[in-house]
C-alpha cells in the first residue's frame, strides 16, 4: 500500500521512483510515438506542398526531422504548425495517462491498467482540447478588440486622442492581463493534463480554473516542483539510459556466443540507421549538459548494411530509446501530479486522497464490531 501523501515537497521528491513503472513508461512512450508520427507526417506533407523533393529531404532528415523547419509557402507553414500542435497535444495526453496512474494510486487504486488509462485519456482528450481552444479564443478576442481600436484611431483628429486617452486605462491593463494569460497558456502543456486527470467530472472550465488557480496562488512552490522534476528527469533518465545501453550490450554479447559476431554486427548496423550523432542522443546519454560524463554510441556504429533485418533492428533500438524519453517525461508528469495534489491541499485544504477511486470499488465487507458488541445477524432482522 502507498503511504498517505504528506502534501508537501516530499511527495514530489519520490516522483522518479513512482514513474519507474512499466505501465507509466509504456503509456507515455505510446503517446510519444504518436507525437513523432504526427510531426513527421505533417512535416513531410509541408515539404511536398512547398515543392521540395521528398527523396532529397528524406536523405537529409530521414525519419527524424527534429529541427525547426522553414517553408516558403504559407499553406506549408500552416500544415507544419498543425503537425507541431498535434505532437504537443499527444504528449499532453501522455502526461494525462501518467497523472491518472498517480492520482488513482493516491486515491487507493493501484490496479489501473494501461488500457484503462489510455481509454481515460482519449475520453478526456476533448476536454483538454476545448480548454486550450477556449484560452486561445479569449486571447484572439482581445486581439480583435485592439484591432477595432486601431480602426477607430484612423478617424481624423479624434482618432489619435481616443487611442491616447484609453492607452493606460483600460488598454494597458487589458494588455497586461492578456500577456499573463499567454504566459500561463505556455505552461498548460505541463499542468492542464494533470488538473484534467484529477477532475472527477471532466469539466473543461474546472480544468482551466484549477490550472490558473495553482499558478496564481502557488507560483513559487509550483515552479520549484517543476524545476526539480526537470533535473530529476534528466539525471534519472540518464541512469535508465545507461542501464538500457548495458542491457543491449549484454544481450548482443550473450547471443553472439551462440550465433556468432554477426548478431553484434546486426545491432551495430541497425544503430547506423539512427541519428546517433544528433544533439538529442548526445544529451540523453550524458549526465548533465555542462558535465562531461556519459556514454558515446559512435563507436558502436557499423555502417554499410541495408538489409531488411538491419532496418527492423533500427526500429527496435528506436523503441528502446523512445522508452528512455518516455521515462523522463513520465517523471515530469508524475511530479506534476504529486505536486498538484500537494498544492491543492495547501491552497484549498482539499485532500485528493480522501476521494474514492474512479476505476476501482472496494468489495463490501461487514462493519467493524467494537469490543463487547454482538455482531448483527439475519435473525435480528427476522425478529424485528
Amino acid at each position: 500500500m502507498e503511504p498517505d501523501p504528506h502534501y508537501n515537497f516530499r511527495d514530489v521528491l519520490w516522483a522518479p521512483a513512482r514513474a519507474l513503472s512499466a505501465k507509466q513508461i509504456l503509456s507515455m512512450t505510446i503517446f510519444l510515438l504518436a507525437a513523432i508520427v504526427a510531426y513527421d507526417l505533417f512535416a513531410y506533407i509541408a515539404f511536398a506542398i512547398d515543392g521540395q523533393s521528398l527523396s532529397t529531404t528524406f536523405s537529409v532528415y530521414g525519419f527524424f526531422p527534429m529541427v525547426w523547419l522553414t517553408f516558403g509557402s504559407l499553406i506549408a507553414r500552416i500544415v507544419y504548425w498543425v503537425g507541431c500542435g498535434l505532437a504537443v497535444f499527444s504528449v499532453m495526453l501522455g502526461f494525462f495517462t501518467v497523472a491518472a496512474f498517480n492520482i488513482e494510486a493516491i486515491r487507493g487504486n493501484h490496479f489501473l491498467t494501461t488500457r484503462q488509462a489510455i481509454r481515460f485519456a482519449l475520453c478526456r482528450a476533448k476536454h483538454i482540447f476545448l480548454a486550450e481552444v477556449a484560452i486561445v479564443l479569449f486571447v484572439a478576442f482581445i486581439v480583435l478588440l485592439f484591432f477595432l481600436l486601431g480602426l477607430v484611431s484612423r478617424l481624423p483628429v479624434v482618432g489619435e486622442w481616443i487611442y491616447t486617452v484609453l492607452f493606460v486605462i483600460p488598454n494597458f491593463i487589458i494588455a497586461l492581463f492578456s500577456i499573463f494569460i499567454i504566459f500561463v497558456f505556455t505552461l498548460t502543456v505541463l499542468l492542464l493534463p494533470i488538473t484534467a486527470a484529477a477532475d472527477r467530472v471532466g469539466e473543461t472550465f474546472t480544468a482551466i480554473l484549477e490550472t490558473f488557480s495553482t499558478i496564481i496562488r502557488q507560483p513559487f512552490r509550483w515552479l520549484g516542483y517543476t524545476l526539480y522534476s526537470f533535473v530529476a528527469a534528466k539525471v534519472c533518465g540518464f541512469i535508465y539510459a545507461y542501464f538500457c545501453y548495458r542491457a543491449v550490450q549484454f544481450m548482443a554479447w550473450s547471443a553472439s556466443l551462440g550465433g556468432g559476431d554477426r548478431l553484434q554486427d546486426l545491432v551495430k548496423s541497425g544503430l547506423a540507421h539512427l541519428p546517433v550523432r544528433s544533439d538529442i542522443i548526445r544529451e540523453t546519454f550524458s549526465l548533465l549538459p555542462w558535465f562531461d560524463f556519459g556514454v558515446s554510441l559512435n563507436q558502436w556504429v557499423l555502417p554499410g548494411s541495408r538489409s531488411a533485418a538491419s532496418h527492423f533492428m533500427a526500429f527496435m533500438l528506436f523503441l528502446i530509446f523512445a522508452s528512455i524519453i518516455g521515462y523522463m517525461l513520465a517523471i515530469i508528469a508524475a511530479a506534476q501530479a504529486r505536486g498538484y495534489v500537494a498544492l491543492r491541499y495547501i491552497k484549498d485544504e482539499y485532500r485528493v486522497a480522501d476521494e474514492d477511486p474512479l476505476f476501482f470499488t472496494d468489495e463490501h465487507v461487514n462493519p467493524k464490531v467494537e469490543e463487547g458488541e454482538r455482531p448483527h445477524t439475519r435473525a435480528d432482522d427476522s425478529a424485528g
Side-chain angles (χ1 to χ4, degrees):
M1 292 294 294
E2 181 174 315
D4 294 334
H6 299 90
Y7 298 106
N8 54 36
F9 179 71
R10 285 182 290 178
D11 299 332
V12 184
L13 185 64
W14 292 101
R18 304 299 185 190
L20 191 59
S21 163
K23 296 187 295 183
Q24 297 186 44
I25 296 175
L26 175 61
S27 301
M28 190 70 242
T29 303
I30 289 174
F31 283 103
L32 177 62
L33 293 175
I36 294 174
V37 170
Y39 176 82
D40 281 0
L41 179 62
F42 280 82
Y44 277 103
I45 291 176
F47 280 126
I49 294 175
D50 210 36
Q52 301 185 36
S53 173
L54 293 183
S55 59
T56 303
T57 304
F58 184 79
S59 64
V60 174
Y61 297 108
F63 289 105
F64 311 101
M66 299 301 174
V67 294
W68 292 116
L69 303 175
T70 56
F71 300 93
S73 170
L74 176 61
I75 299 178
R77 289 198 294 268
I78 293 175
V79 170
Y80 172 71
W81 284 109
V82 168
C84 293
L86 289 176
V88 173
F89 185 70
S90 180
V91 172
M92 291 177 67
L93 292 181
F95 286 159
F96 183 98
T97 57
V98 176
F101 281 117
N102 284 271
I103 291 176
E104 279 294 285
I106 292 173
R107 291 169 176 161
N109 177 17
H110 300 272
F111 305 102
L112 182 65
T113 65
T114 303
R115 178 177 297 181
Q116 287 177 324
I118 294 177
R119 184 180 299 175
F120 185 37
L122 295 179
C123 290
R124 293 287 179 90
K126 179 181 69 174
H127 302 284
I128 299 175
F129 178 76
L130 291 178
E132 296 283 32
V133 170
I135 299 174
V136 172
L137 290 179
F138 181 81
V139 175
F141 176 72
I142 299 298
V143 173
L144 177 62
L145 293 180
F146 281 117
F147 170 77
L148 296 177
L149 179 63
L151 293 180
V152 173
S153 66
R154 291 177 176 270
L155 295 174
V157 183
V158 298
E160 293 184 354
W161 278 101
I162 293 175
Y163 180 74
T164 304
V165 170
L166 301 177
F167 191 81
V168 175
I169 301 176
N171 292 351
F172 174 75
I173 298 176
I174 294 175
L176 191 64
F177 181 67
S178 301
I179 292 298
F180 174 76
I181 293 177
I182 295 174
F183 173 72
V184 175
F185 175 74
T186 61
L187 303 178
T188 57
V189 175
L190 295 174
L191 189 55
L192 182 62
I194 280 73
T195 58
D199 183 22
R200 300 183 62 84
V201 181
E203 294 182 354
T204 301
F205 179 75
T206 302
I208 298 175
L209 180 63
E210 284 299 324
T211 300
F212 277 82
S213 174
T214 301
I215 295 176
I216 292 174
R217 297 178 60 184
Q218 297 293 331
F220 296 108
R221 281 194 176 96
W222 180 81
L223 180 61
Y225 294 169
T226 302
L227 291 178
Y228 166 77
S229 69
F230 277 85
V231 175
K234 183 66 185 74
V235 174
C236 297
F238 165 74
I239 297 174
Y240 178 72
Y242 179 80
F243 275 88
C244 289
Y245 166 76
R246 290 303 183 188
V248 171
Q249 192 179 39
F250 174 77
M251 182 170 52
W253 171 79
S254 300
S256 67
L257 296 178
D261 292 338
R262 63 187 181 86
L263 296 181
Q264 292 198 50
D265 294 341
L266 179 61
V267 175
K268 294 179 180 179
S269 63
L271 197 62
H273 299 300
L274 301 176
V276 295
R277 293 179 175 84
S278 63
D279 293 337
I280 186 172
I281 299 292
R282 184 175 60 254
E283 294 299 333
T284 301
F285 285 89
S286 63
L287 181 59
L288 292 172
W290 59 86
F291 190 60
D292 189 16
F293 179 80
V295 176
S296 176
L297 302 180
N298 297 335
Q299 57 180 327
W300 303 108
V301 176
L302 184 64
S305 176
R306 296 292 178 180
S307 64
S310 176
H311 283 86
F312 197 74
M313 177 59 71
F315 177 70
M316 294 289 104
L317 293 173
F318 171 72
L319 291 181
I320 296 175
F321 176 76
S323 72
I324 299 173
I325 304 299
Y327 174 54
M328 296 170 69
L329 294 177
I331 293 175
I332 296 175
Q336 288 292 319
R338 304 278 173 167
Y340 171 72
V341 171
L343 295 178
R344 182 77 184 276
Y345 175 75
I346 293 173
K347 67 185 182 70
D348 299 327
E349 295 187 356
Y350 184 85
R351 297 176 182 269
V352 176
D354 293 341
E355 297 179 345
D356 294 328
L358 289 176
F359 300 94
F360 180 77
T361 304
D362 287 331
E363 296 182 0
H364 174 73
V365 294
N366 293 325
K368 183 179 179 181
V369 178
E370 300 295 337
E371 185 178 356
E373 180 182 353
R374 186 174 64 87
H376 184 79
T377 63
R378 291 184 179 181
D380 298 328
D381 296 331
S382 301

